[in-house]
Amino acid sequence: SIAAGAKTYKLKYGNRGMNQPCIDLRTGRCYITPQNHGFAVDSKSLPANWKPLFINANDLTNEGIVHTDKPFFSVQFHPEASGGPLDTAFLFDKFIGHVRKTSQPLVLQDGLSYQ
């Protein structure tokens, strides 16, 4: 996010632990995720063509971003595909789809509706 031009800020306590709820802004589904970070992306500072992808259900901080035109995305949590919950393994499938140049449609909900 910083490389794209967004700003970050330090969280008072950070998001740490194995049970942080994250809302997928594509579907509205909430995933329980493992996390260990003390900074968050300021969603309001995201440049054009960048959108929030996940938000934390506890504090509504940004937990992921996605580019609307290019095959770029990232998440703040650990998207375990093995060795833990498999709930967010689809992120690895999406990455592989980008590598293979498979169509990756993107439809996001408005993250502000959760505030």
Side-chain angles (χ1 to χ4, degrees):
S1 60
I2 292 172
K7 294 184 180 358
T8 60
Y9 61 94
K10 185 164 178 43
L11 298 169
K12 185 171 183 177
Y13 300 107
N15 290 333
R16 308 188 194 286
M18 294 300 294
N19 57 354
Q20 294 290 323
C22 286
I23 300 169
D24 182 341
L25 295 178
R26 298 169 311 131
T27 64
R29 182 176 175 184
C30 187
Y31 297 97
I32 301 303
T33 63
Q35 297 187 21
N36 187 20
H37 64 89
F39 287 81
V41 174
D42 178 358
S43 292
K44 293 176 183 164
S45 73
L46 287 170
N49 298 327
W50 287 93
K51 301 287 182 198
L53 180 58
F54 288 91
I55 57 172
N56 187 294
N58 287 335
D59 60 12
L60 300 179
T61 56
N62 184 295
E63 292 290 351
I65 61 173
V66 64
H67 196 279
T68 58
D69 300 326
K70 296 182 180 175
F72 308 145
F73 70 96
S74 70
V75 295
Q76 281 276 72
F77 54 87
H78 304 282
E80 310 296 293
S82 185
L86 301 177
D87 292 353
T88 57
F90 68 88
L91 292 169
F92 292 96
D93 296 335
K94 185 165 182 58
F95 175 76
I96 295 298
H98 283 311
V99 170
R100 292 182 176 157
K101 298 188 181 195
T102 305
S103 175
Q104 299 288 313
L106 177 66
V107 178
L108 296 172
Q109 297 180 19
D110 180 8
L112 298 178
S113 64
Y114 290 92
Q115 294 182 355

